[in-house]
Amino acid sequence: MDLFQDERVTVVQMNRHFAFHYANAFEDMEGNVVFDTVQNDHMELGIDVEKPFWKIENSFRDVSPFRQICLAYGRSPSRLIRYTVDIQNKRLAIGNDQSKVLSTRMPEFPSIPRDVSTRRHRYIYPLALVDVNANPNINTSISGSDSSEVAAIEKIDSEDTTNNEHFLFEPDEIPGEAILVPKAGKNVSLPSEEDACYVLVQVTNVKEMKTDVVIFDVEGDRAFEKGPILRFPLPVFVPLLIHGSFADGVTFEFGES
């Protein structure tokens, strides 16, 4: 298949960038394709890292562990962008809707409930990096760190980003990719119930070598920022994980070892 000649393929020009992860894509009422992507202006691939990043001697030790990961892999600051593509005219939609910045807090690994995949959605849950010195209105108790930046998870409101929420972790903690679990009896594919979810995340403390499973109730305005409803320490240290998934009704039985 020739991507530039095959009539089944629509090629649309846009500004040069690198994208690792997409949150979702859907067709809107006008027949446009809308998609949300984490966008980087620069990414250096092919770096060979033989040790865990927190054990590497480098020049990034005075910044937060989450930023250390980004710098070690040559990532430029990221943004979560919503693009609207005019399929009929094979171009980005004209006007203010062609691209929209949803977050500039170095977002990555955006998650949504599985039931809204390929459907119109409102909320996105990426990892993020927040500078508490640059955001004096943020309530935080971080201490014992040379960096003012801490890892966080955001609840992005794609319809009105002034409603974006976030929860900050401790300086030496790094959250993994968020997993969305719909509440029993709720239909998250309905706009009125889309955020009726729990957010599960594995949190790794790279200084104390400890791992917790943290659960948030994110339903309703500012519910996320109230903090976790449960924080469960795992009996063993589990290294930082990236991707995960939740399967409703699936459990496992483990025999004695």
Side-chain angles (χ1 to χ4, degrees):
M1 176 185 292
D2 188 329
L3 294 179
F4 297 96
Q5 299 296 328
D6 196 299
E7 62 182 12
R8 296 170 295 176
V9 178
T10 298
V11 178
V12 177
Q13 292 187 349
M14 59 178 58
N15 292 335
R16 177 182 177 272
H17 67 271
F18 180 90
F20 241 148
H21 298 103
Y22 295 82
N24 197 20
F26 60 89
E27 183 180 24
D28 66 15
M29 298 299 293
E30 289 74 40
N32 299 316
V33 171
V34 180
F35 67 93
D36 302 326
T37 179
V38 175
Q39 178 174 303
N40 296 272
D41 293 332
H42 171 76
M43 170 67 86
E44 184 68 33
L45 298 178
I47 295 178
D48 184 15
V49 178
E50 297 181 353
K51 298 180 180 179
F53 75 91
W54 58 85
K55 293 184 178 181
I56 298 175
E57 294 298 327
N58 55 48
S59 59
F60 311 140
R61 305 305 295 178
D62 59 341
V63 300
S64 67
F66 187 72
R67 182 175 284 277
Q68 287 181 43
I69 298 175
C70 300
L71 293 174
Y73 285 89
R75 276 192 55 191
S76 64
S78 59
R79 303 173 297 278
L80 183 60
I81 307 290
R82 167 163 289 188
Y83 285 101
T84 300
V85 179
D86 181 344
I87 296 296
Q88 182 176 358
N89 295 302
K90 299 184 178 182
R91 65 187 182 192
L92 292 178
I94 296 176
N96 296 329
D97 293 334
Q98 67 170 262
S99 64
K100 178 181 180 181
V101 179
L102 303 180
S103 175
T104 58
R105 287 178 168 161
M106 215 154 179
E108 189 49 280
F109 306 119
S111 299
I112 60 169
R114 182 176 58 183
D115 290 346
V116 298
S117 179
T118 70
R119 301 180 181 183
R120 176 182 289 274
H121 67 281
R122 179 173 180 175
Y123 300 108
I124 310 169
Y125 303 84
L127 305 189
L129 189 68
V130 176
D131 187 339
V132 296
N133 287 346
N135 295 271
N137 295 326
I138 293 177
N139 294 322
T140 179
S141 60
I142 67 168
S143 60
S145 174
D146 295 329
S147 172
S148 64
E149 295 178 320
V150 291
I153 295 180
E154 287 190 288
K155 179 183 179 182
I156 303 296
D157 186 338
S158 64
E159 295 181 2
D160 184 357
T161 56
T162 63
N163 293 329
N164 288 358
E165 303 176 36
H166 52 263
F167 178 83
L168 308 182
F169 294 90
E170 292 299 316
D172 293 310
E173 293 181 334
I174 306 177
E177 182 179 21
I179 300 173
L180 279 294
V181 182
K183 292 183 177 180
K186 297 289 187 175
N187 183 357
V188 296
S189 65
L190 298 176
S192 61
E193 299 183 2
E194 184 184 330
D195 68 347
C197 296
Y198 298 106
V199 167
L200 275 65
V201 61
Q202 174 185 300
V203 179
T204 302
N205 188 310
V206 299
K207 182 177 182 179
E208 299 180 3
M209 303 294 280
K210 296 180 180 179
T211 306
D212 293 347
V213 172
V214 182
I215 302 177
F216 298 86
D217 183 345
V218 297
E219 183 177 12
D221 184 46
R222 301 300 159 184
F224 186 37
E225 294 186 339
K226 294 178 181 178
I229 60 174
L230 176 67
R231 181 158 185 150
F232 179 77
L234 296 181
V236 296
F237 172 71
V238 179
L240 178 66
L241 297 179
I242 296 179
H243 300 304
S245 62
F246 173 79
D248 189 18
V250 176
T251 58
F252 297 93
E253 294 183 2
F254 298 96
E256 295 182 1
S257 58

